[in-house]
Amino acid sequence: MLIATNALVLKTIPYGDTSVISRLFTEREGKVSILAKGAWRKKSTTGSVLEPMNHIHLQYYHKYSREIQILKDCGFSAKYTHIRNNLHRTLFGFSIVEMLDKSTLDNNPFPILYRLGWRVLEKLNDEKNDVYSIFAFFLYQLSLRLGFMPEINQCRKCKSQLSTCIFDEQLGELVCLACSHQGKLQMDEKNMAFLRQLENLHLDDLETIRADRHSVLHAIQFLEKFTQFHIESLRRMKALPLANKLLLSEGMQ
Ligand SMILES: [Zn+2]
């Protein structure tokens, strides 16, 4: 069966002398691996189209009995040049792609998550937009779409209204100071106010958010801990630890 769809390129590895195998997050079929024969031959542009993080359109031959599908042709929908020209944006772009890869299953369509992925990368590609706010938005939406909504209004233990609170490492949730016994990440009132702005926020309204850098960085730390607590496959990441080093250098304690 010939399938035409759009996709985000998650990962590409060489296969033989001139071919590659790419893992794609397709709009129609979810995560799919495809073999691109001769992608790196001199006259072929396929190799550059199949670079990780690219947004592409493609046609491929799909057989459900086969683990790796065969590419017919492909082309760019977006290259995200401004992401690639900037180290911060590149690391967070790759973190987004990596998290999508780790949190989805093969041949399991997830169009909402696919759309979140390319829409967020599009925002990241606009130099006017704040890298960290976009990443916080992505993390919040990712956990929501995967079915893990963080409770940011009530203490998970005593149900009191949360103001200053702590991420409880055993519970994987925010608890008030009276209920906390362990946890290194403390969120103050301003940090929580930023998190609450992410609820019901549309991506196009991201620029309207008012928050200090410190609050955005704290929200990211919380959302990373939260998603990694609830989704085991997100604990082994390559790009994210590098992105986190940048976060730390931006003023996280
Ligand atoms: Zn409590």
Side-chain angles (χ1 to χ4, degrees):
M1 171 173 45
L2 183 67
I3 288 185
T5 185
N6 302 305
L8 281 173
V9 183
L10 301 175
K11 193 173 183 180
T12 294
I13 54 167
Y15 183 78
D17 287 338
T18 57
S19 301
V20 297
I21 292 174
S22 287
R23 194 150 66 235
L24 307 176
F25 189 27
T26 70
E27 184 171 21
R28 245 187 85 171
E29 298 290 324
K31 207 158 68 176
V32 174
S33 290
I34 58 153
L35 170 65
K37 291 176 187 163
W40 285 117
R41 281 202 197 106
K42 266 187 187 157
K43 284 180 184 165
S44 175
T45 54
T46 305
S48 62
V49 174
L50 293 178
E51 296 262 348
M53 199 160 68
N54 283 341
H55 191 201
I56 68 169
H57 53 84
L58 75 152
Q59 296 189 84
Y60 69 97
Y61 300 101
H62 196 103
K63 251 192 210 172
Y64 285 99
S65 58
R66 206 162 49 192
E67 274 188 26
I68 296 176
Q69 313 302 334
I70 311 290
L71 181 73
K72 180 171 184 271
D73 52 55
C74 63
F76 286 110
S77 291
K79 284 187 192 182
Y80 304 129
T81 321
H82 296 302
I83 298 181
R84 290 181 196 281
N85 287 343
N86 177 293
L87 178 64
H88 272 63
R89 285 175 197 270
T90 303
L91 282 173
F92 283 98
F94 278 124
S95 297
I96 287 165
V97 164
E98 192 177 26
M99 292 183 98
L100 289 172
D101 190 3
K102 301 255 181 187
S103 58
T104 49
L105 301 168
D106 288 349
N107 303 311
N108 192 10
F110 209 150
I112 292 174
L113 214 53
Y114 159 76
R115 186 168 189 275
L116 172 68
W118 73 261
R119 292 269 288 130
V120 161
L121 288 174
E122 208 130 273
K123 291 285 174 192
L124 197 59
N125 193 47
D126 185 339
E127 287 159 321
K128 289 196 305 294
N129 296 329
D130 177 54
V131 179
Y132 300 110
S133 302
I134 295 168
F135 193 58
F137 176 90
F138 170 74
L139 290 172
Y140 184 83
Q141 287 291 324
L142 180 72
S143 59
L144 208 65
R145 301 303 175 194
L146 294 173
F148 300 93
M149 181 140 110
E151 173 59 67
I152 55 181
N153 294 305
Q154 284 185 348
C155 168
R156 200 63 177 197
K157 282 191 176 164
C158 72
K159 308 288 176 205
S160 67
Q161 193 67 27
L162 280 179
S163 51
T164 298
C165 55
I166 281 188
F167 180 73
D168 186 300
E169 311 256 345
Q170 268 197 344
L171 212 58
E173 300 280 357
L174 292 169
V175 296
C176 71
L177 293 181
C179 289
S180 76
H181 300 293
Q182 52 199 326
K184 296 175 199 100
L185 183 70
Q186 183 163 326
M187 305 281 290
D188 68 20
E189 194 53 60
K190 273 162 77 183
N191 306 158
M192 293 307 290
F194 172 68
L195 258 184
R196 288 184 189 119
Q197 286 188 73
L198 291 178
E199 279 185 303
N200 309 315
L201 182 79
H202 193 274
L203 184 55
D204 287 328
D205 298 329
L206 203 59
E207 295 97 84
T208 64
I209 270 198
R210 294 282 163 265
D212 60 294
R213 167 69 21 117
H214 198 254
S215 291
V216 179
L217 298 182
H218 266 79
I220 290 176
Q221 292 278 301
F222 160 66
L223 289 166
E224 280 185 15
K225 280 178 183 285
F226 179 82
T227 47
Q228 290 181 333
F229 182 92
H230 294 281
I231 304 149
E232 206 188 329
S233 57
L234 291 178
R235 291 174 201 170
R236 294 170 298 276
M237 306 272 295
K238 284 180 183 160
L240 189 62
L242 296 171
N244 281 337
K245 277 192 183 169
L246 282 177
L247 273 184
L248 288 166
S249 70
E250 285 279 329
M252 276 294 296
Q253 267 94 60

